[in-house]
Amino acid sequence: MPLTMNDVDRFEAARPRLEAIAYRLLGSASEAEDAVQDTYLRWQAADVDRVEVPEAWLTKVLTNLCLNQLTSARARRETYVGEWLPEPLLAGDPMLGPADTAEQRESVSYAVLAVMERLSPNERAVYVLREAFGYPHREIAEILDLTETACQQIFHRAKKHVADGKARTEIDEAAARRIVEEFLAAATTGRTEPLVRLLTADAIAIGDGGGKVPARAAAFEGARAVATFLRGLFKPSLAKRNVVGGSPDVYASTANGAPAIVAVLDGRVIGIMCLEVTPEGITAFRNQVNPDKLDRATRLWAAADHGEPLLASAF
C-alpha cells in the first residue's frame, strides 16, 4: 500500500536523527544521505501499519544498511589514493546531531571519527548508538541481532579503543577562533620555531586529497616535521595558486566541534583543516581537500555570513 501523508511525516520527523546516526557510522555526509534515502525506500515498501515502533524499525534498517556500507567501504579504502579522512561538517550543520552532552559532542568530533575507522563495524555501531544517542543495550542488541551481554562487551571494548586516542579539549567558538588566529600568526612568519612552540612533541599532520588534489600519501610526524610542512603550506607561491586555481581566502571556523581553518576560493570551500587541541598543545592537523568531501560544506558556507577572512589571498 502507498504511504499516507502521516507515514511520510513520521519518517521526515525521524530523518534528522537518522542522518546524524548514519554520518557518525560512515564518516561521510553524502553516504549518510544515501543510507537514509535507502531507509525511506524500505519504509515505503513495508507494511507500515504492522510496525509497532517506527523509530526502532527505522533505526534497525538504517544501522544494518550502514553496516553493509562499512564492510564494502573497507574494501574500497584499500585502493583509496593516499590517506582517507572523514568528511568534515562545519558549525551549524544539522547532520552533527545532538550536542547536549560531552559524550554526544565527543562522538562526532573529527578526532574520534578518525579513531573509529579502526573499529569493527559492530563496534562502531554499538559505540555510536550507546554513546551518542543513549540507546539501552537491550535495544542495541535487538537492532544488531546480538545478545545484550555481547552488546555490553562490544561497547566496553569500543570505548576503550576510542579512549586510547588522545584526549581532546572542549572549546567554544571564541576560543577556537583565538587558537586559529594564534596558529595562523605563527604559520605565516616564515619561521619554524613559532609553530613548534604551539605543537605537542608527537604532533601529526594528515591530508586527504582523494587522488584529485595533491596531498602527501603518509602523515608528517613530530613537532619539527609538522612545523616545517605547515610553514611551507602557508608560504605563498605561484605553484600553489596554479594547483587550486587562484589565491584562496582563509577563515577561522569550527568543524565537528573543534577549531578549523577554512580555505575559500570564489565562494567554494577548497579545504578544511581540523585542529585537534589538547592541554599540551595542538596535536593533530587533519586537512580535507578532496573536493568530493567538500560539496556539503560549500553549500552551508554560502548560506551564512562569515565576516572578513583572517588571511586574504593566502597563497
Side-chain angles (χ1 to χ4, degrees):
M1 291 180 61
L3 295 180
T4 66
M5 285 303 300
N6 184 53
D7 296 328
V8 174
D9 288 344
R10 283 196 292 179
F11 183 87
E12 290 304 322
R15 184 184 290 274
R17 179 181 55 82
L18 295 174
E19 288 189 344
I21 292 173
Y23 172 70
R24 284 167 166 82
L25 288 176
L26 299 173
S28 165
S30 59
E31 291 180 3
E33 289 172 340
D34 289 345
V36 172
Q37 185 60 26
D38 285 346
T39 302
Y40 176 75
L41 293 177
R42 283 159 174 74
W43 176 247
Q44 195 175 39
D47 184 355
V48 296
D49 289 338
R50 300 183 63 182
V51 177
E52 295 182 4
V53 185
E55 179 183 281
W57 189 94
L58 292 169
T59 302
K60 182 180 179 71
V61 170
L62 174 81
T63 301
N64 282 285
L65 285 169
C66 289
L67 289 177
N68 292 337
Q69 181 76 1
L70 282 171
T71 301
S72 61
R74 285 172 179 257
R76 290 199 309 275
R77 287 170 196 171
E78 290 177 2
T79 60
Y80 192 83
V81 179
E83 295 278 350
W84 187 95
L85 290 175
E87 180 177 345
L89 298 182
L90 295 173
D93 193 318
M95 198 175 279
L96 288 168
D100 298 326
T101 67
E103 290 78 13
Q104 289 171 336
R105 294 188 292 273
E106 183 80 5
S107 71
V108 79
S109 74
Y110 208 60
V112 167
L113 287 178
V115 170
M116 283 202 292
E117 283 298 304
R118 306 173 199 164
L119 303 182
S120 71
N122 268 356
E123 286 174 336
R124 190 161 181 160
V126 171
Y127 179 82
V128 165
L129 292 172
R130 178 64 180 165
E131 195 77 347
F133 295 90
Y135 280 84
H137 285 294
R138 175 182 51 77
E139 290 186 24
I140 300 173
E142 292 174 358
I143 289 170
L144 298 176
D145 294 324
L146 299 169
T147 67
E148 189 171 346
T149 299
C151 183
Q152 291 170 336
Q153 292 172 342
I154 290 171
F155 174 70
H156 290 306
R157 187 165 64 244
K159 193 167 184 177
K160 182 180 185 305
H161 286 319
V162 172
D164 284 342
K166 292 181 176 67
R168 63 191 282 271
T169 301
E170 287 207 48
I171 293 169
D172 61 27
E173 194 168 335
R177 183 179 179 87
R178 288 195 299 273
I179 290 168
V180 171
E181 288 174 344
E182 186 178 7
F183 165 72
L184 288 176
T188 54
T189 62
R191 296 184 292 118
T192 302
E193 290 307 321
L195 281 166
V196 171
R197 288 194 290 271
L198 295 178
L199 309 179
T200 61
D202 59 350
I204 62 168
I206 308 170
D208 177 353
K212 300 184 178 183
V213 174
R216 181 181 165 94
F220 290 92
E221 299 182 3
R224 189 157 296 277
V226 170
T228 301
F229 160 69
L230 293 170
R231 182 194 64 194
L233 183 64
F234 285 92
K235 183 178 180 180
S237 75
L238 178 60
K240 290 195 194 76
R241 291 193 291 274
N242 287 339
V243 167
V244 302
S247 186
D249 294 332
V250 173
Y251 295 81
S253 186
T254 60
N256 296 72
I261 297 166
V262 181
V264 181
L265 180 64
D266 298 330
R268 178 170 52 92
V269 175
I270 63 168
I272 299 176
M273 179 181 283
C274 301
L275 282 60
E276 183 179 346
V277 180
T278 69
E280 291 75 34
I282 303 173
T283 194
F285 298 85
R286 296 182 175 90
N287 194 22
Q288 184 56 260
V289 292
N290 183 344
D292 293 343
K293 299 181 183 181
L294 296 171
D295 282 345
R296 185 181 177 92
T298 293
R299 294 198 304 270
L300 267 70
W301 189 266
D305 178 20
H306 303 280
E308 295 298 315
L310 291 180
L311 290 177
S313 301
F315 297 161

